[in-house]
Amino acid sequence: PLEVRLSPAKALHDRVILVDKTQAWSVTQSFKDFANRSPASIVKVDQETSRLKVDAYEQIWASASALV
């Protein structure tokens, strides 16, 4: 099932990829500009930073309003 939520303005950033609540990847460009600007890369962050990012985004998700 798909769940969509609305977070407060500017609470989220489009330069992070979270996988399985354990891994985080940092994107050096905005996704909308990723193909247009060079150089751009996607970098896996270390385990501790991943945990911090996942925890932070979990809190944002929990406080966001569910859209029906």
Side-chain angles (χ1 to χ4, degrees):
L2 176 65
E3 183 176 356
V4 178
R5 293 184 178 215
L6 182 63
S7 69
K10 299 185 181 187
L12 298 174
H13 197 269
D14 74 343
R15 294 185 185 181
V16 66
I17 301 170
L18 303 176
V19 179
D20 296 333
K21 298 182 181 182
T22 60
Q23 298 177 37
W25 300 75
S26 177
V27 182
T28 60
Q29 297 288 345
S30 172
F31 283 119
K32 70 178 185 64
D33 296 324
F34 195 77
N36 295 326
R37 294 186 183 169
S38 185
S41 59
I42 301 173
V43 179
K44 186 175 181 182
V45 298
D46 62 82
Q47 187 176 7
E48 176 63 18
T49 304
S50 291
R51 186 185 61 75
L52 293 171
K53 286 188 176 290
V54 167
D55 289 348
Y57 278 88
E58 285 286 318
Q59 289 177 13
I60 293 168
W61 178 260
S63 66
S65 303
L67 299 179
V68 181

